[in-house]
Amino acid sequence: MATLGSVRSGLQVLGSDGGMIGIVDAIEASRIRLHSTAEPVGEYHIPSNWVDRVDEHVHLSVTAAVARERWESAGEAAPAAGTRPGTTGDRADGRRNIFAWILGAIFVLAILVFAVRSCGYAVDERTNTEQALPSTDSDATGKGVGNGQ
């Protein structure tokens, strides 16, 4: 692990896979504030213990994807000691919880199925065709009750 003193403002930050993460803005306590030039663009913090070495770039010990997954937005509070960002289910990079999307889609499909089933048609099991259900103003013969027939 490199010393934090060799990290300077303006240096490019690279993941262990060589992926560009951003540019160092400042050193704040035990974190590095950087500006991301790739999506999602913005100000973020990364822990200084991710720094592997410093030369003309700041090289991290984690990949660019892991860094983006675990970094904190500059507007967020610093994590409590001993915790890792990104482990609470909150995503600073704006990704959605896929499980919630799947449950929502299933719920919407269930509502659509029940709506279609209650739209006034029934399947005649003998002929496997749809038949219109009698309306509320007719009897079982299909003749209107109130029209005098």
Side-chain angles (χ1 to χ4, degrees):
M1 182 164 55
T3 63
L4 201 52
S6 56
V7 176
R8 305 181 306 282
S9 179
L11 290 180
Q12 289 183 343
V13 180
L14 305 175
S16 61
D17 57 353
M20 173 73 167
I21 310 248
I23 299 172
V24 175
D25 279 342
I27 311 303
E28 299 176 349
S30 62
R31 302 183 307 169
I32 299 171
R33 186 179 72 211
L34 59 90
H35 176 77
S36 172
T37 54
E39 287 297 324
V41 175
E43 298 288 325
Y44 297 95
H45 288 110
I46 58 170
S48 61
N49 62 355
W50 287 0
V51 176
D52 185 42
R53 70 188 197 306
V54 179
D55 46 29
E56 63 273 0
H57 302 97
V58 176
H59 298 271
L60 301 182
S61 60
V62 297
T63 64
V66 169
R68 284 190 188 95
E69 181 180 307
R70 295 184 183 168
W71 66 14
E72 304 159 16
S73 291
E76 294 178 0
T83 62
R84 286 187 356 223
T87 57
T88 62
D90 297 333
R91 300 288 177 144
D93 61 1
R95 289 190 297 167
R96 304 283 191 237
N97 186 341
I98 191 72
F99 184 70
W101 277 94
I102 291 171
L103 284 179
I106 290 171
F107 181 72
V108 168
L109 286 173
I111 289 174
L112 288 173
V113 166
F114 288 119
V116 168
R117 292 188 69 184
S118 65
C119 70
Y121 288 92
V123 175
D124 184 353
E125 293 178 3
R126 290 176 287 143
T127 62
N128 200 24
T129 58
E130 288 185 351
Q131 301 293 325
L133 292 174
S135 65
T136 57
D137 64 342
S138 66
D139 60 12
T141 63
K143 296 182 179 178
V145 174
N147 62 8
Q149 293 182 358

